[in-house]
Structures are given as C-alpha cells and as structure tokens.
C-alpha cells in the first residue's frame, strides 16, 4: 500500500483518496466548508489548505489526490497564515448576527473563526446584501450569510436527483437560488440545512424555537416509513422541537426524508390526553376506571370468535407482543390482523416478506425491476439508494406500472400481470437480462400484492428467481417494499390470520360485519363500513380510528416510549423515550396490562423491562439489535397458484398524509397544499 507522511507521521492509505482524507486518517484535523464525503469535490472555499513538500504555495487538500511518498504538513505557520487569509475573505461580507442565527452553537464558520479569525477587519467597503430566496415552507434563507460552498447545489443534483438549486452571478455577486424562484419539491430537500456550514439555510419551522444547548438529545428510530432511519430527537421539556439524522451507513447514510424531519410538530396537535366514551352518539371525557369498566362489560358479553384486533402502522414490538398475549391468553381469541388492506402474504419463511437484498445491497446490484411500487414516495431513503446505484454503476431499471418521476431514468415495460407472465415464462426480453445478470433486484410493492392477483405476482416471481439461481444464501433478489414501520415486526409475531383458501379472513369478515367488537391498536387506515360493531380505539391522536370509536384509550406516540421496531430488511432496532405522554395518556403496554387486570386476569408483566425480556425470549431474531436476520433460504417452488390477468395500478400514497402524526402536522399540511397547487397547474411535468 502507498504511504504518505503527515506531520512527520507515516500513514498507509488506499489509492484514490485525497490528501484531506489521508490527513484525517492520520489524525490531523483540517478545517473545511465546501468538502463533504458524500458529495463531489468542488474546491470552492480553500479553507483546507496544507503545505506539501516541494510545492511553492499552499494546496487545497480536498482536491489533491494523495500519492506515494508525499510529505504533508497541516500545522505550520505558513499554513496557518494562509487559512487566516481565507477566513478574512469569508468574513468580509458575513453579517455579525450570530446571536440571532439559528445555526449558532452548531456553525462550522463560527468554530473555525475561533481559530483562524481576526477581531477586526481590514476591509472598509460596505458588506454585501443579498435578497432572500423562497425555497418553500421547510427552508428559511439568509443568503447574505452564504459563503458559496455549493454543498446544497451538489446535494440536490447528485443525491436528491432533482436539480432545483443553482448559482447565478460570479465572484462575490454569486447567488444560490431555486430555478424560477419556486419551492423545492424533493422529499429530501431539508437535508441541505444540515449540509449548510453557515446559517444561510436554516429550518423554517424551527426558527427561533430553541438553542441547541437547551435541548435534550435522544437517539431513536424513525417510524414514518418502513426504512427505519436512525434519528436524533431534540426535546425541550415535553415538546419535540426537531428531528435530525443520525449516521448509519447501512440504512440512511446521513440523510432523512422531509416527513421524518418535520412531521414531529404533529406530536403536539390533536393529541388524546384523556379517555372518552360515546354516549348518545357523542364522545365525552371520562376516567380510566369508567372507560376500562365499559370495555370489560362488552368483552364479557361477547364471544371470543366475535372479537377482532387490528394493529396500526406505528406500533412498537412490545405493544404488539402484549396485545397478542392479551388476545390469546385473556380473550382466547386469535382474530388478529396487521394488514389494513388486502395485500397477499406468505409468512412461511421470513424471506417472503422482507427486503432481502438489503438497503445497502442496492449499491451492488446490476439490474432492478420495480413491480407496482413508487419507492420515491413509499420509501424515500431507499429511493435515494437506487439513484446512488444508478449513478455509480449505470444500471438498467425497469418498471411494471407507471410510478412517475423517480429521480432516475427507468423504462416502463407494461402495466399488467400479463407482462409479468411473459417474463416468468421467459418470453420477454427482460427474462434474458435476468439470466445474464449476476446480482439483480426485484422490488415488489404493496400495490402489486393487492387483491386476487397478489399471489400470482409474488409466487410467480419467486419461482422465476429461484429457477435462475437468484435466490441463494449469497444473494437474494426477492424484495418486498413494505410501507409501514410496524408491519414486518407484526408478521414476525404472528399478528395475522390465514387459511388455505383465504388470505384475508379477518378483512373479509369486516366487510360483512361479522365481528361485534373491534379493538384498534393505533389502526387509523382501516377501511370498512361500521354498523353495530363496538369499537375500542387505543392510540395517540384523534384521527380516523378515534372518530368511529365507542371507547377511546389515550396512548403514547413513538417518541414517548422505549420500543423495538423491525424495518423492511428484517433489522431489529431500538427506539428510546425522548418525551412523555400528555395529560392522562399512558404507554400502550401499560393500558393493555391494566385492562387484563380489570378483567380479573393477569399477564404477569409488571414492568416494561419484563415485557422486553419476554419479547426477546419469544423469538431470538429480535435479540440481535441492528442486525439483519433472515430465515434459511427457501428454494422450493410453489405450485398451488394460478395466473390472474389484472392491471397493476400503483396506489399513490398521499406522501404528506400517510399516518395520523403526519396528518396532524401543520408543516405537512403546508407542504401538501403547495404540492396540490402545483398539481392543479400542471407545472409538475
């Protein structure tokens, strides 16, 4: 391996690294503004200057390839003088508004000026003034602070895949702006706030809310989709003030979607903070004792087979586990379901319902087939990985169904199951591409698994991939794009009901109103016509589930409790409590535990720690936190299914209104309004 000498310390490095990267490997800290490891090199700021032997002038280390035998010095008076000169230029036009800047305390320019700044300026000219730019309801601009690092431009173009930002003018007259002065439309747009090294781009909803040193910081897991992005929750007292990304190279890199970042203000709105009972057609406040008594009366007068439990999209593993225990052991009922729509499920093997290639594995693939899915709206971070793979490997991407703009080019090869049959029967050009491919990926969306054709889509593709040796222990090309944070965990726990003839027995019985009592655990997406059913709703928000409920039990949101979540890859991760439930609301497991005691029975669970231990002991796969656990690869071909000719229509999710927290968010409402206006004018393309 080549070697380089940094500050008289010899360091080995891999070819292809820059001087800056090697210096950081050697432990030398180099100031930088424009450089970012996930973006292309710009070399704009010149703050990373270093001294290289035999070079008459300082060199920008971010743009200089490291070569064997180089001698680099990063802390000499020569280097320090050069950096101070650069800092003086950067501060020449920078406003002295640190006390009112939201970046204060987290500002790279502020930190570096401490080491390389002057207490006075030699420039006597008036400072530059730049007109503010409109970038939508998420990003607040103070472009006078901009130092032209172009991180935001490069992110929008390279990572987000929507070139919405650009620069006009030259020199000190250069300005960063959106094209046609319109709102940024990317679902990753707010990541430019984290990238901005100064306070030119800050969070509009968070403006003047708090200082970073006033906030309590808690690492946790996102539940706005099934990706399981790692996040940091910043709270002030009870309120969640902001959510930021936590770096995880295997899942979300260092990005999060706008919904993950900004739906948190929905945690303050439409909250259920006291129990309710429906009397004379109206919901009235009541006590926990009366609410539980009402439920007990109904449960005691209802047969077990007439009781059903539906689990929602944002429920943690512990709550689902005790919910199942309550139904099985206390109510003697197995009528549990985690699906709110009729999507085909084959739970015989874990590989049948997870994303087997892994999110990180997308970067290794050489061919992608999308089947009835729009990953941009259903799993934004995963879509960014697909784009990254396309840019990096120049792969071919095909789609069955029209998902719209995905931020990368793809080819639509059809929109019905007949096209899929042709591929499976090896009568389509795609079949040959799969035969030649070494690491292909098939991503099946929930839209393709719905109703009668779902079985053929899944089992047919599974047989096809098995036949072509693309389902092995080394590489599994079969991937299900689950949209909901709790879905994979719920299937792991067995919260579903299947028969040999019917894949949706619970949902079919709901359609015909065969149940007398429904227990909705955070389930707000259930579509059925209520008649005489008695409905218990347990959740955090007054949403669609609460509207039809006869008894409401106020629960806790995902930021208000510890809990485990399993992402679409089958990776178990732990979320931590950052806040606490409002008013008389309780944690979900505690409510179910109290209800069992009110029935005169006990689940023998006295604390959350005991519950967590029982959960982990029930299935060893959930004990391996942060790891992907797959079952043994199933290569047996399924025979008991038949072809169903139907159109594969992608159900375009209302991205900004996908769950009860998002629907309660003022910020998400604003984003949705802007999007709808764009759609109504046809300017979206």
């Amino acid at each position: 391996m080549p070697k380089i000498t940094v500050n008289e310390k010899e360091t080995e490095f891999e070819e292809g690294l820059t001087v800056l990267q090697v210096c950081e490997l050697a432990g030398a800290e180099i100031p930088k503004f424009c450089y970012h490891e996930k973006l292309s090199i710009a070399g704009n700021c010149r703050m990373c200057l270093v001294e290289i032997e035999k070079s008459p002038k300082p060199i920008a280390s971010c743009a200089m390839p490291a070569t064997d035998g180089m001698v680099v010095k990063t802390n000499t008076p020569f280097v320090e003088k050069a950096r101070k000169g650069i800092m003086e230029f950067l501060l020449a036009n920078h406003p002295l508004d640190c006390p009112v800047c939201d970046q204060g305390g987290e500002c790279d320019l502020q930190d570096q000026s401490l080491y390389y700044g002057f207490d006075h300026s030699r420039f006597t000219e008036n400072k530059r003034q730049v007109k503010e730019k409109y970038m939508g309801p998420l990003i607040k601009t103070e472009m006078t602070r901009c130092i032209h690092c172009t991180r935001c431009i490069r992110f929008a173009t390279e990572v987000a895949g929507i070139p919405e930002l650009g620069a006009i003018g030259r020199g000190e007259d250069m300005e960063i702006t959106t094209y046609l002065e319109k709102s940024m439309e990317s679902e990753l747009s707010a990541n430019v706030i984290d990238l901005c090294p100064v306070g030119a781009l800050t969070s509009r909803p968070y403006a003047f809310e708090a200082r970073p040193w006033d906030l309590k910081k808690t690492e946790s897991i996102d539940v706005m989709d099934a990706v399981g992005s790692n996040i940091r929750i910043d709270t002030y007292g009870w309120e969640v003030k902001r959510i930021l990304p936590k770096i995880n190279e295997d899942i979300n890199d260092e990005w999060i979607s706008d919904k993950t970042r900004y739906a948190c203000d929905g945690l303050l709105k439409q909250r259920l903070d006291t129990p309710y009972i429906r009397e004379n057609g109206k919901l009235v406040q009541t006590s926990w004792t009366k609410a539980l008594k009402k439920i007990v009366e109904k449960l005691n007068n209802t047969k077990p087979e007439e009781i059903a439990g539906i689990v929602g999209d944002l429920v943690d593993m512990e709550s689902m586990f005790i919910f199942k225990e309550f139904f099985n052991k206390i109510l003697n009922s197995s009528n549990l379901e985690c699906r709110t729509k009729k999507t085909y499920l084959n739970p015989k093997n874990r590989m049948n319902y997870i994303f087997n290639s892994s999110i990180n594995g997308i970067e290794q693939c050489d061919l992608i087939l999308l089947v009835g899915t729009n990953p941009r709206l259903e799993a934004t971070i995963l879509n960014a990985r697909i784009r990254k793979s396309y840019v990096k490997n120049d792969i071919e991407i095909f789609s069955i169904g029209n998902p719209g703009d995905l931020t990368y080019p793809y080819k639509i090869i059809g929109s019905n199951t007949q096209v899929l049959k042709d591929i499976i029967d090896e009568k389509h050009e795609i079949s040959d591409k799969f035969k030649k491919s070494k690491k292909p990926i098939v991503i099946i969306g929930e839209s393709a698994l719905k109703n009668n054709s779902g079985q053929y889509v899944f089992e047919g593709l599974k047989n096809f991939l098995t036949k072509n040796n693309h389902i092995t222990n080394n590489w599994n090309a079969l991937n299900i794009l689950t949209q909901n944070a709790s879905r994979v965990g719920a299937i792991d726990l067995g919260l579903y009901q299947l028969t040999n003839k019917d894949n949706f027995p619970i949902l079919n019985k709901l359609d015909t109103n065969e149940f007398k009592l429904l227990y909705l655990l955070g389930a707000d997406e259930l579509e059925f016509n209520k008649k005489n059913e008695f409905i218990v709703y347990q959740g955090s928000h007054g949403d669609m589930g609460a509207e039809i409920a006869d008894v409401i039990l106020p629960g806790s949101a995902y930021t208000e409790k510890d809990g485990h979540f399993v992402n679409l890859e089958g990776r178990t991760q732990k979320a931590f409590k950052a806040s606490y439930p409002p008013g008389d609301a309780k944690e979900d497991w505690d409510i179910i535990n109290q209800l069992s005691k009110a029935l005169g029975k006990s689940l023998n669970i006295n604390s959350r720690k005991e519950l967590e231990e029982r959960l982990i002991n029930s299935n060893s796969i959930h004990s391996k936190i942060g790891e992907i656990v797959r079952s043994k690869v199933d290569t047996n071909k399924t025979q008991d299914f038949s072809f169903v000719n139907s159109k594969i229509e992608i159900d375009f999710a209302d991205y900004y209104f996908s769950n009860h927290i998002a629907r309660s968010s003022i910020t998400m409402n604003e984003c949705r309004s802007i999007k709808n206006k764009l759609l109504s004018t046809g300017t979206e393309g």
Side-chain angles (χ1 to χ4, degrees), residues 14 60 65 72 163 169 198 234 236 252 321 326 359 377 379 413 453 456 467 528 539 576 595-596 644 659:
E14 295 180 5
V72 181
V198 296
D234 289 359
Y236 187 84
N252 57 298
F321 178 79
F326 175 74
I359 297 171
L377 300 181
I413 57 175
S453 61
Y456 178 79
K467 181 182 177 182
F528 86 109
F576 292 94
L595 181 56
S596 65
V644 179
N659 57 64

Side-chain angles (χ1 to χ4, degrees), residues 234-396:
D234 289 359
T235 55
Y236 187 84
W238 171 68
E239 295 185 29
V240 176
K241 289 294 184 182
R242 65 178 182 177
I243 288 178
L244 299 175
K246 177 178 175 286
I247 297 175
N248 188 319
E249 299 287 351
D250 292 330
I251 303 175
N252 57 298
D253 270 344
E254 52 188 275
W255 324 119
I256 54 174
S257 69
D258 291 347
K259 184 165 58 177
T260 297
R261 188 185 298 268
Y262 287 118
C264 60
D265 64 340
L267 295 166
L268 307 175
K269 307 295 181 182
Q270 290 186 256
R271 292 301 304 269
L272 299 173
D273 58 359
T274 189
Y276 287 84
I277 291 180
R278 191 175 295 276
E279 294 180 352
N280 300 321
K282 294 183 179 180
L283 289 167
V284 295
Q285 292 186 18
T286 188
S287 64
W288 274 103
T289 304
K290 290 181 179 179
L292 294 177
K293 185 180 178 182
K294 181 77 170 179
I295 298 170
V296 169
E297 288 176 1
K298 287 291 181 179
L299 288 171
N300 288 331
N301 294 315
T302 309
K303 297 177 181 178
E305 61 270 20
E306 296 174 334
I307 303 170
I310 309 295
V311 176
D313 301 342
L314 313 182
V315 186
D316 59 288
M317 290 285 290
E318 284 83 351
S319 298
M320 291 191 291
F321 178 79
I322 197 172
F323 191 62
K324 184 185 179 185
E325 292 280 286
F326 175 74
F327 261 73
N328 292 350
K329 296 180 179 180
I330 306 298
L331 303 181
N332 296 315
S333 173
S334 59
N335 296 327
L336 291 165
E337 184 59 81
C338 61
R339 296 170 293 173
T340 54
K341 296 180 181 177
K342 295 179 181 179
T343 54
Y344 177 75
L345 172 65
N346 181 349
K348 293 178 181 178
N349 190 299
R350 203 175 193 230
M351 63 167 259
N352 292 342
Y353 55 88
I354 67 172
F355 199 94
N356 293 286
S357 303
S358 78
I359 297 171
N360 200 26
I362 294 172
E363 296 184 33
Q364 304 172 32
C365 75
D366 51 15
L367 176 69
I368 295 179
L369 174 63
L370 306 174
V371 185
T373 182
N374 179 336
R376 178 177 172 182
L377 300 181
E378 296 170 8
T380 304
I381 295 297
L382 187 143
N383 191 67
R385 284 283 184 159
I386 297 175
R387 172 173 169 77
K388 185 178 180 181
S389 183
Y390 166 75
V391 173
K392 180 180 173 184
N393 304 322
D394 193 26
I395 59 174
E396 288 187 289

Side-chain angles (χ1 to χ4, degrees), residues 426-486:
E426 300 185 359
K427 297 177 181 178
H428 199 282
E429 61 174 340
I430 301 298
S431 306
D432 294 330
K433 291 182 181 292
F434 268 92
K435 287 182 178 181
K436 296 175 182 178
S437 175
K438 294 181 179 179
K439 289 186 176 182
I441 283 180
V442 174
I443 302 176
I444 307 173
E446 292 184 5
S447 297
L449 298 174
K450 64 184 180 182
N451 301 325
N452 297 326
S453 61
Q455 184 181 23
Y456 178 79
V457 171
F458 175 79
E459 303 295 351
L461 278 169
K462 183 182 174 184
N463 287 351
F464 172 73
L465 292 171
T466 302
K467 181 182 177 182
N468 289 281
N469 296 316
H470 293 314
I471 295 180
T472 65
N473 290 319
N474 296 324
W475 183 261
N476 193 332
L478 182 67
N479 300 285
I480 305 299
L481 205 167
T482 307
Q483 297 182 30
N484 306 320
S486 63

Side-chain angles (χ1 to χ4, degrees), residues 643-662:
F643 171 68
V644 179
N645 192 5
S646 64
K647 190 174 182 181
I648 297 178
E649 294 183 1
I650 299 173
D651 297 329
F652 287 95
D654 194 342
Y655 176 77
Y656 296 109
F657 269 22
S658 60
N659 57 64
H660 54 260
I661 297 176

Side-chain angles (χ1 to χ4, degrees), residues 50-62:
V50 296
E51 186 177 353
I52 298 178
E53 194 176 66
K54 298 179 182 180
S55 176
K57 56 184 181 180
I59 302 296
S61 58
C62 70

Side-chain angles (χ1 to χ4, degrees), residues 482-501:
T482 307
Q483 297 182 30
N484 306 320
S486 63
R487 182 64 51 82
V488 174
I491 299 172
D492 283 342
L493 292 174
L495 293 173
Y496 56 84
Q497 196 176 90
L498 306 172
T499 67
N500 292 330
K501 296 181 179 180

